[in-house]
Amino acid sequence: MNEVSEKSKQFIYDLFGFRIQLKPGVSYTYDNIINSITIGTVTEKICDRLEIDPILLLKHANRIAFHKLSEEAIDLTEEELTIASKYAEEPILEDTTFEDVLIRGFLSDFPNEKGYLLDTFKNHFRKKNGDRLNVDDTQWEIEERRIEKIMDELYEKNKIIDAMDHVYLKKGTSLTRIYLEACINYKKPIKTPAGRIVSADFKPLVANLQEYGQILKEFIGDEFTSDLLYFEKETNLFFLIKAYFDLKELGELAKDKKFIKYYTAFSIIDDIELRNLFLSKYIYEARRENNTYYKSDFTSRIGLCRIFQIIYIVIPFLSEFIKDQVTIHFEAQPDKVTITDSKELEEFLKVKRQLYLYHLVSEGCDNGSGELWPVSDVLTLSTTISDNSSIPSLESINTFLGLYKATYGLRASRRKNQVDFAQMIMSDFERLKVYELQDKTHLLDIISLNSVDAFLAQLAAGTVIDDALGSKYDDFEGLDDEEFYELQEKASEKKRKGETSE
């Protein structure tokens, strides 16, 4: 958040009441920090308006903020990795060195590190395909060389080489990247462009989702968050399979195009648990509205405004607040290192601060249960499709394909137009100098509403999403990504001209 002034940051911290209330003498650990974070009345009022428990929201916000920090802290450049390697034995804490943190955050190019990931896929392939290949050693060798080639290409594409010729690959997302590359290599549907998805892809997509879940559970263990979120960002499959089962239960409401459009809108929320929280609330409120004259704030424009404030202001700034507090604590610690070169000392302290931050915040990003809890319900439900205990109807498959195309269209539009709602909100915030005005919360609403309106316009623009939800699938088949983007832009322009002429 370098583009946000310190004055604005401090205003946001105060407005939302962020505090870390650690008692004197209590050590800075993940558990102690997360249990001492509090929020103020403005944040609680947002929750009240949405009828969401503020304690539950704080739990999700803390988890997301800490994970965001761990991702940022381990995002080291070649120069920073060179410093970290040079001072590998330097302690960060009494029992933790630079090298310990690097081992936690990166896969090296050493045979044992790279080999573990390679063996993961080889073992999975043998277990899954043993019957089909009749345990033919020649065929095994061919398939294993194919997997090794995928691994080598992944390393080449994503590796970081420091000045000492050490090769690193970030652990978080590495397994998912290999799995997605393998799916593409084996021509398995996983990231199929919207213009090429067909009904025959439905079951293979479900099977690939289950296969990925199994690999993640067996071979990642507790540290699956980065991989899982990356997979969902690239595929949206957990969202789509959840939608498939949600809509099957909703009867006539599932045929309401406005309801499905708003349901689709929640796919922009990256965190799966927070998204599920909002989706459950949205379904509950939409059902109430459908059966009575009741009108919910949650399903309104102002409701979206509150949700935007949570995901694009509260959570990012909570993450920034935690980083600031941990940095203050780090800089207060004595440092015994003797580096005479002032520039190298500055770089050393910067790297040490990042590794200290990563070590501290990543402690709690693991899952001790051994279960893929954010998506375990979806994986369980999806087995009813693969084992044929639940036979999908043509209508439900068409609905799934429509949602696939709609979410794809939404992602395509955001990528094409490079819409960053957090950046949009904060640019307006800085431009209007909200921290100098009297009615600060009201102005914050207005600024958030500007982004909500931009999002709603994007959601409504053109007929690509409309047609996807209306089952007009033939219009898109055979189109590549660029053709799909062009079609969406033409449809948007056509709609704008139609609105102008009315």
Side-chain angles (χ1 to χ4, degrees):
M1 286 195 176
N2 296 330
E3 69 281 358
V4 179
S5 69
E6 284 300 317
K7 188 178 285 189
S8 289
K9 280 168 60 175
Q10 196 56 54
F11 165 73
I12 291 287
Y13 297 165
D14 292 341
L15 177 66
F16 290 104
F18 298 151
R19 298 284 185 274
I20 293 181
Q21 299 180 327
L22 275 175
K23 294 179 181 177
V26 175
S27 60
Y28 259 64
T29 64
Y30 176 91
D31 287 335
N32 288 340
I33 293 172
I34 207 164
N35 290 327
S36 64
I37 295 173
T38 60
I39 54 176
T41 56
V42 170
T43 314
E44 289 173 352
K45 284 178 180 175
I46 292 174
C47 294
D48 289 343
R49 192 71 181 264
L50 294 172
E51 295 183 11
I52 287 175
D53 181 358
I55 296 174
L56 181 60
L57 177 73
L58 179 60
K59 177 185 172 184
H60 286 301
N62 281 339
R63 178 180 48 73
I64 298 166
F66 271 86
H67 180 259
K68 182 175 183 291
L69 276 179
S70 74
E71 293 279 284
E72 290 175 3
I74 205 63
D75 190 21
L76 302 175
T77 64
E78 292 176 22
E79 293 76 15
E80 289 165 344
L81 277 169
T82 299
I83 290 286
S85 298
K86 182 177 179 180
Y87 294 97
E89 299 303 316
E90 184 68 28
I92 292 175
L93 297 169
E94 276 186 22
D95 57 349
T96 307
T97 64
F98 278 32
E99 186 176 31
D100 293 331
V101 180
L102 290 179
I103 289 171
R104 181 180 176 87
F106 290 93
L107 289 166
S108 74
D109 200 29
F110 297 125
N112 61 324
E113 287 274 352
K114 192 173 176 182
Y116 173 75
L117 202 55
L118 187 59
D119 287 343
T120 293
F121 280 91
K122 284 182 178 180
N123 292 337
H124 177 79
F125 182 84
R126 279 182 177 265
K127 186 166 66 174
K128 185 172 182 184
N129 297 286
D131 293 339
R132 181 173 64 83
L133 297 178
N134 298 317
V135 200
D136 183 312
D137 288 340
T138 304
Q139 186 64 38
W140 281 133
E141 289 174 11
I142 293 171
E143 294 297 340
E144 288 185 352
R145 281 200 299 272
R146 189 175 182 180
I147 294 169
E148 286 171 11
K149 185 172 184 289
I150 292 169
M151 171 78 79
D152 289 339
E153 288 174 352
L154 179 84
Y155 255 87
E156 285 302 311
K157 195 185 297 184
N158 297 284
K159 70 184 180 182
I160 306 171
I161 306 175
D162 67 19
M164 301 164 73
D165 289 332
H166 296 143
V167 180
Y168 295 93
L169 180 73
K170 278 201 287 188
K171 276 186 182 176
T173 77
S174 59
L175 185 141
T176 300
R177 288 175 189 273
I178 293 171
Y179 181 75
L180 293 176
E181 287 292 329
C183 282
I184 293 167
N185 192 280
Y186 280 86
K187 296 187 174 12
K188 296 165 69 173
I190 194 75
K191 292 172 62 178
T192 309
R196 295 177 185 166
I197 195 79
V198 293
S199 57
D201 291 328
F202 176 66
K203 275 201 161 186
L205 279 170
V206 173
N208 292 340
L209 182 79
Q210 291 175 324
E211 179 181 53
Y212 174 74
Q214 191 60 38
I215 290 175
L216 207 58
K217 187 175 178 181
E218 287 183 15
F219 301 106
I220 286 285
D222 294 341
E223 299 180 51
F224 63 74
T225 304
S226 294
D227 271 278
L228 181 60
L229 293 182
Y230 182 75
F231 178 85
E232 184 66 353
K233 181 181 177 183
E234 291 294 303
T235 68
N236 258 358
L237 274 181
F238 284 105
F239 172 84
L240 290 165
I241 299 298
K242 175 176 168 52
Y244 168 83
F245 285 102
D246 280 350
L247 296 178
K248 276 183 71 175
E249 299 296 320
L250 290 174
E252 288 300 310
L253 187 58
K255 297 176 183 178
D256 184 327
K257 190 176 282 189
K258 180 185 174 184
F259 169 81
I260 300 182
K261 266 195 176 184
Y262 269 69
Y263 188 109
T264 304
F266 286 96
S267 66
I268 69 166
I269 301 175
D270 293 328
D271 185 78
I272 295 171
E273 285 189 271
L274 185 65
R275 185 177 71 198
N276 288 347
L277 174 69
F278 286 146
L279 272 175
S280 297
K281 180 66 177 172
Y282 173 62
I283 290 170
Y284 173 77
E285 296 295 331
R287 271 178 158 163
R288 289 178 71 188
E289 286 188 347
N290 195 50
N291 295 326
T292 66
Y293 291 106
Y294 167 79
K295 184 65 181 171
S296 169
D297 279 341
F298 194 90
T299 61
S300 68
R301 183 167 162 264
I302 194 65
L304 272 179
C305 171
R306 302 297 184 215
I307 292 170
F308 265 53
Q309 287 175 351
I310 289 170
I311 61 178
Y312 295 122
I313 301 179
V314 173
I315 292 174
F317 277 95
L318 177 61
S319 180
E320 195 74 8
F321 172 74
I322 295 167
K323 181 170 75 173
D324 286 352
Q325 296 302 304
V326 171
T327 300
I328 290 169
H329 179 264
F330 168 81
E331 290 173 347
Q333 307 304 304
D335 205 314
K336 299 175 183 177
V337 68
T338 52
I339 300 175
T340 54
D341 184 284
S342 59
K343 184 178 179 183
E344 185 169 340
L345 177 60
E346 182 182 347
E347 290 171 348
F348 167 84
L349 290 173
K350 180 186 174 187
V351 171
K352 186 173 182 179
R353 185 186 305 116
Q354 275 190 257
L355 294 180
Y356 171 79
L357 179 64
Y358 178 74
H359 171 73
L360 189 66
V361 301
S362 65
E363 269 186 344
C365 293
D366 299 347
N367 166 38
S369 70
E371 293 295 326
L372 304 179
W373 35 265
V375 294
S376 55
D377 58 336
V378 175
L379 288 170
T380 301
L381 286 169
S382 66
T383 59
T384 64
I385 298 172
S386 56
D387 66 13
N388 294 320
S389 60
S390 171
I391 307 298
S393 66
L394 181 60
E395 183 180 8
S396 59
I397 292 177
N398 281 344
T399 300
F400 173 86
L401 294 177
L403 282 167
Y404 186 103
K405 294 173 192 293
T407 54
Y408 190 99
L410 187 56
R411 287 203 315 274
S413 177
R414 290 184 70 198
R415 283 199 303 269
K416 189 74 173 176
N417 300 311
Q418 296 187 331
V419 177
D420 184 335
F421 297 117
Q423 180 63 45
M424 187 184 297
I425 288 171
M426 292 321 301
S427 294
D428 286 345
F429 191 94
E430 291 286 336
R431 180 172 54 81
L432 295 172
K433 292 187 167 65
V434 173
Y435 47 80
E436 294 180 358
L437 303 174
Q438 291 297 316
D439 195 352
K440 297 176 176 60
T441 55
H442 181 62
L443 259 296
L444 202 60
D445 279 351
I446 292 173
I447 288 171
S448 302
L449 281 170
N450 286 340
S451 289
V452 167
D453 287 342
F455 172 66
L456 290 174
Q458 187 184 82
L459 189 65
T463 60
V464 167
I465 291 179
D466 289 337
D467 284 354
L469 296 176
S471 302
K472 299 178 183 177
Y473 307 123
D474 293 341
D475 296 344
F476 309 113
E477 290 185 8
L479 298 181
D480 60 24
D481 286 6
E482 194 58 37
E483 290 171 324
F484 188 77
Y485 298 147
E486 289 174 7
L487 178 61
Q488 179 145 336
E489 287 178 354
K490 287 178 183 177
S492 299
E493 183 62 29
K494 180 181 176 183
K495 185 163 188 173
R496 280 195 296 273
K497 287 179 180 177
E499 289 171 346
T500 306
S501 63
E502 287 177 359

